[in-house]
Amino acid sequence: MQPDREGRVALVGAGPGAADLITLRALRALEAANVVLYDALVTADVLMLIPACARRIEVGKRGHRASTGQDFINRLMARFAKAGARVVRLKGGDPSLFGRAAEERAFLEAQGVRVDVIPGVTAASAAAAQFGFSLTKRDTARRVLFATGRTARGAAMDWAAAADAEATLCLYMGCGDFDDIARALIARGRAPDTPALAAIDVERPSAALIKTTLARLSGLLAERGSDGPVFIAVGEACQDARDADADKRDRPPAPAHRSQQI
Ligand SMILES: C[S@@+](CC[C@H](N)C(=O)[O-])C[C@H]1O[C@@H](n2cnc3c(N)ncnc32)[C@H](O)[C@@H]1O
């Protein structure tokens, strides 16, 4: 660290998991970093891009499990930056989507620390690419709604907007409560047989797809279980999702890659 140099923090999107899905700008920020604070969702593949001379600190937050407090993370970033360090705060996907970028930026700027944001490939885009569907579709999927299945302190959620039959609902952190969410969507008029999918461990060797209907998805998710991240989509656009294994059949040894179509 160089105390005479002005430190700064870059909030960097690590993408869904595969190292070749981070941007060149993100790679350059990692190469220049003195300290990297990374989330639990960042994969070993991406961590390998951090230079050996940089200090790395895991500050993972894991849903309902034990995690690092946001205040602690904020103070740590500010302390390193004020000591002259180039700090990278490495987050899964895109920092601006359910990544607390606004909170971290506000805290750091209030402390006089310069902040840059480097976008990443979000889970929705990566899932669509990996599993062969598009988030929008002319005539049937005219709108996209990014939503979280979890609110701070369990505040109630209003699912009225997600009942729109022409919208693709992209649900983050929705796996644990999807039974209730699906009921709420159906109660507000979304058809039970609306195509729906769960994209599990997107862009990781254990990637898997469950393609089914809104009414059946929570049961299938419970049956399968998953320790990894799960992205859920609901809407006509999901109808096109397909077994990625089918494409890989005539390729040389593929990584373990399961898929389920029901
Ligand atoms: C805290 S949010 C972070 C989202 C992230 N900023 C993004 O843009 O993808 C974490 C949720 O994102 C989704 N997610 C992130 N990475 C994923 C992946 N590789 N596969 C499936 N879902 C993923 C899951 O719904 C997970 O619970």
Side-chain angles (χ1 to χ4, degrees), residues 16 41 92-94 97-98 122-123 172-173 199 201-202 204 229-231:
L41 273 182
D94 180 52
L97 263 171
F98 309 120
T122 191
Y172 292 70
M173 295 171 281
D201 291 340
V202 174
R204 296 158 189 229
V230 180
F231 167 77

Side-chain angles (χ1 to χ4, degrees), residues 175-212:
C175 184
D177 295 321
F178 193 68
D179 197 27
D180 290 342
I181 294 170
R183 276 180 221 281
L185 291 173
I186 292 167
R188 279 161 185 74
R190 198 106 205 211
D193 62 354
T194 304
L197 64 83
I200 300 159
D201 291 340
V202 174
E203 284 297 337
R204 296 158 189 229
S206 49
L209 171 71
I210 300 175
K211 179 182 168 188
T212 180

